[in-house]
């Protein structure tokens, strides 16, 4: 894929994890704003369904919405999510943004045109420095059926909750086996948003209990988050 380090337009990925009902409202919000790159994925919250019923919080089914936007437009969308969908209140979900370091020329041109059409071209904000980062997203990829073990390990190190995505590994089988990965293709991806100060101990806890040397065959990574409402 052709890549471009674009200096004129900085890009961000806006991620919203919420209930199907609020996701439908958010999708209408993005459609009304004519956002060109917008995706929806099915997900599952990590709380048990029995506990959700006891608390009166409804289904643990979640939808993850992913939108790619000009960076100088993300604050406006985050404000709309907070004001119109009440994201950030109890049982509403979580929204956060992650800086995008590159994209192919077609996507860059598309989003440049989108920003121009919405008259949002303005001086770009300075890139977030490492010292400014307050939150991170931890992603643990494990064999199917081990997401509960991941969350138990994470919570013992201070994590509050997470979201589970179901996926399938498509890497080269010989290479994977040579590095100690199992043959199981079905995977679960556990996403956890946390304070940067808890990052290391959460990642260490997951690695110790669900790492590559365990039956979970887990790998763990983290991404810096620019802004978050939860």
């Amino acid at each position: 894929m052709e890549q471009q380090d674009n200096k004129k337009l900085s890009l961000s990925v806006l991620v919203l994890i919420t209930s199907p009902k609020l996701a439908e409202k958010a999708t209408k919000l993005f459609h009304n704003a004519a956002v060109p790159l917008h995706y929806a994925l099915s997900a599952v919250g990590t709380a048990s369904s029995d506990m959700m019923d006891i608390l009166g919080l409804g289904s643990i089914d979640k939808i993850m919405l992913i939108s790619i936007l000009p960076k100088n437009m993300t604050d406006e969308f985050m404000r709309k999510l907070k004001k119109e969908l009440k994201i950030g209140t109890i049982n509403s979900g979580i929204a956060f943004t992650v800086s995008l370091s590159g994209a192919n020329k077609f996507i860059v041109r598309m989003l440049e045109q989108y920003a121009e059409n919405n008259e949002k071209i303005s001086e770009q904000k300075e890139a977030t420095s490492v010292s400014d980062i307050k939150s991170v997203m931890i992603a643990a990829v494990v064999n199917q059926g081990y997401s509960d073990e991941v969350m138990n390990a994470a919570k013992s190190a201070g994590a509050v909750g997470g979201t589970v995505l179901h996926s399938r590994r498509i890497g080269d089988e010989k290479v994977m086996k040579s590095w100690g990965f199992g043959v199981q293709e079905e995977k679960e991806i556990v996403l956890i948003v946390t304070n940067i100060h808890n990052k290391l101990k959460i990642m260490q806890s997951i690695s110790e209990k669900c790492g590559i040397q365990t039956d979970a065959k887990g790998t763990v990574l983290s991404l810096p988050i620019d802004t978050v409402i939860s």
Side-chain angles (χ1 to χ4, degrees):
M1 183 180 68
E2 183 179 12
Q3 300 290 324
Q4 174 175 309
D5 290 324
N6 184 60
K7 295 182 179 180
K8 181 180 179 182
L9 186 71
S10 296
L11 303 178
S12 286
V13 179
L14 191 159
V15 179
L16 170 64
I17 303 172
T18 188
S19 66
K21 184 176 181 180
L22 285 178
E24 184 177 350
K25 293 181 179 180
T27 298
K28 290 181 180 178
L29 186 154
F30 287 113
H31 283 177
N32 290 339
V35 174
L37 294 171
H38 183 66
Y39 307 91
L41 297 83
S42 297
V44 180
T46 56
S48 68
S49 56
D50 290 341
M51 180 60 68
M52 297 292 281
D53 290 339
I54 291 172
L55 296 176
L57 299 179
S59 173
I60 62 173
D61 292 338
K62 301 294 180 184
I63 300 294
M64 174 183 284
L65 300 180
I66 299 175
S67 302
I68 301 175
L69 295 161
K71 193 169 186 177
N72 59 347
M73 298 179 70
T74 55
D75 286 348
E76 178 185 355
F77 280 99
M78 293 287 274
R79 283 193 294 269
K80 287 183 178 180
L81 291 174
K82 189 171 184 178
K83 180 179 179 180
E84 299 180 24
L85 275 70
K86 308 301 180 184
I87 298 298
T89 59
I90 296 176
N91 196 39
S92 62
I94 183 172
F96 58 90
T97 62
V98 179
S99 294
L100 193 64
S101 61
N104 62 23
K105 290 182 180 179
F106 176 78
I107 290 177
V108 171
R109 286 198 300 267
M110 180 193 302
L111 292 173
E112 282 179 341
Q113 184 63 56
Y114 174 68
E116 290 171 0
N117 290 343
N118 287 273
E119 298 180 348
K120 293 296 180 181
I121 289 290
S122 61
E123 184 178 355
Q124 295 289 329
K125 294 187 293 184
E126 291 287 333
T128 303
S129 66
V130 174
S131 60
D132 293 333
I133 296 169
K134 297 180 179 179
S135 299
V136 297
M137 181 179 71
I138 296 172
V141 183
V142 294
N143 283 340
Q144 188 174 24
Y146 286 89
S147 58
D148 285 345
E149 283 84 348
V150 170
M151 281 310 306
N152 288 338
K155 287 180 178 179
S156 70
V160 177
T163 301
V164 180
L165 301 175
H166 296 281
S167 65
R168 185 172 66 88
R169 193 189 68 224
I170 57 174
D172 182 272
E173 200 64 50
K174 288 184 178 180
V175 174
M176 294 283 93
K177 291 176 70 174
S178 70
W179 283 96
F181 288 88
V183 297
Q184 183 176 343
E185 293 184 346
E186 292 75 19
K187 300 292 178 181
E188 291 175 338
I189 303 174
V190 183
L191 303 179
I192 301 165
V193 175
T194 186
N195 187 291
I196 191 170
H197 300 297
N198 290 333
K199 180 188 78 169
L200 185 57
K201 59 182 180 181
I202 291 174
M203 294 181 72
Q204 288 176 334
S205 181
I206 294 173
S207 295
E208 290 172 1
K209 299 173 184 176
C210 302
I212 196 65
Q213 302 300 325
T214 70
D215 291 339
K217 298 296 181 184
T219 55
V220 189
L221 54 87
S222 68
L223 295 171
I225 290 176
D226 294 335
T227 57
V228 60
I229 50 176
S230 62

